[in-house]
Amino acid sequence: MTTVSIPAGWPATEEEARAVQDELRASVVLDEPGPPPGTGHVTGVDVAYDDDRDVVVAAAVVLDAASLDVLAEATAVGRISFPYVPGLLAFREIPTVLAALDALPCAPGLVVCDGYGLAHPRRFGLASHLGVLTGLPTIGVAKNPFTFTYAEPAAARGSAAPLLAGDDEVGRALRTRAGVKPVFVSVGHRVSLDNACAHTLALAPEFRLPETTRRADALCRRALEEALREASQGTSGTMPGTPQETPQESATRH
């Protein structure tokens, strides 16, 4: 497990974090289709917290997009890098997520975040933020619609309805299982919305959530338990310390 520290110059206030979002949002690429579903690698990222102990763990799990077999996985642990503020959750997660991606032994391909991209009050959720910093194609697949409205999609698997901010479509409510609550898909970076929905369906052949999210969620929960257990036993090198920044961590400084 990779151990990371909060990068130097990381935003400490809501005002600073929003200024970073405003700066980076202009770099989001919306005119690329992205990789075809069912091809190459696809990677799920997720995080788990223990706020009382000031610990966050991130996991990255690479799947073969055709078979959904696990090809590689990595985890990272660090201090929680920002307070809980709706709309600014990426600032709690980005350093450890980047470190987990950096630790993978293979290219991640498309990255699927358990959260939002354009379906975000400032149109710059975790999927967009991560995509801009890494240059990777990214999408967000969330469990709820945040503050946006939508009409209930038809009951059949694959049915979808626009996720709306006023008259603007910021994502889609997508039915991945017949008769089950939809997931909420949005573009992060370098992927079209149609393609993001197609990827989500390809990654969810059996369950409501895509396999990328399910596997990354399970891995980061196990890694958090391990980190806390080893810390309680006094094992050195497991909990956040002061290691050197990775190249991607350095790129997040503003």
Side-chain angles (χ1 to χ4, degrees):
M1 186 184 301
T2 302
T3 304
V4 299
S5 59
I6 299 173
W10 195 249
T13 67
E14 293 181 35
E15 181 180 21
E16 291 173 352
R18 292 190 180 103
V20 171
Q21 288 181 329
D22 289 341
E23 178 184 348
L24 296 181
R25 185 172 54 239
S27 298
V28 173
V29 174
L30 300 176
D31 59 354
E32 292 185 15
T39 64
H41 294 174
V42 60
T43 295
V45 295
D46 203 0
V47 298
Y49 299 95
D50 188 312
D51 285 278
D52 291 339
R53 294 174 175 83
D54 191 26
V55 177
V56 57
V57 170
V61 181
V62 184
L63 305 184
D64 176 89
S67 67
L68 302 186
D69 292 336
V70 175
L71 302 178
E73 56 186 35
T75 57
V77 59
R79 291 174 52 209
I80 296 173
S81 53
F82 200 81
Y84 177 84
V85 180
L88 299 176
L89 299 187
F91 293 93
R92 290 166 61 88
E93 303 177 1
I94 285 284
T96 46
V97 171
L98 287 175
L101 287 171
D102 273 347
L104 290 170
C106 59
L110 174 79
V111 177
V112 181
C113 299
D114 179 23
Y116 309 94
L118 293 184
H120 178 273
R122 300 174 68 80
R123 305 297 182 269
F124 197 71
L126 173 64
S128 297
H129 200 148
L130 190 63
V132 168
L133 292 179
T134 63
L136 296 168
T138 57
I139 66 173
V141 182
K143 301 178 184 72
N144 63 69
F146 207 168
T147 59
F148 302 109
T149 60
Y150 67 100
E152 195 69 21
R157 169 179 158 84
S159 300
L163 193 61
L164 298 171
D167 295 330
D168 296 331
E169 184 179 35
V170 295
R172 286 186 193 146
L174 177 67
R175 195 86 69 183
T176 53
R177 291 191 67 195
V180 172
K181 180 182 176 182
V183 295
F184 301 91
V185 181
S186 58
V187 171
H189 183 62
R190 299 182 57 205
V191 183
S192 70
L193 183 54
D194 285 345
N195 209 4
C197 290
H199 276 286
T200 303
L201 286 173
L203 291 167
E206 185 176 357
F207 299 101
R208 176 183 176 233
L209 295 178
E211 285 301 300
T212 41
T213 298
R214 285 167 36 81
R215 292 178 183 272
D217 173 76
L219 178 58
C220 69
R221 290 177 186 274
R222 292 196 305 269
L224 178 62
E225 291 175 0
E226 177 187 348
L228 296 176
R229 182 174 60 252
E230 293 187 0
S232 69
Q233 295 171 350
T235 304
S236 63
T238 301
M239 298 302 287
T242 55
Q244 296 296 312
E245 294 179 11
T246 67
Q248 286 185 331
E249 285 176 312
S250 298
T252 66
R253 290 180 294 177
H254 293 275

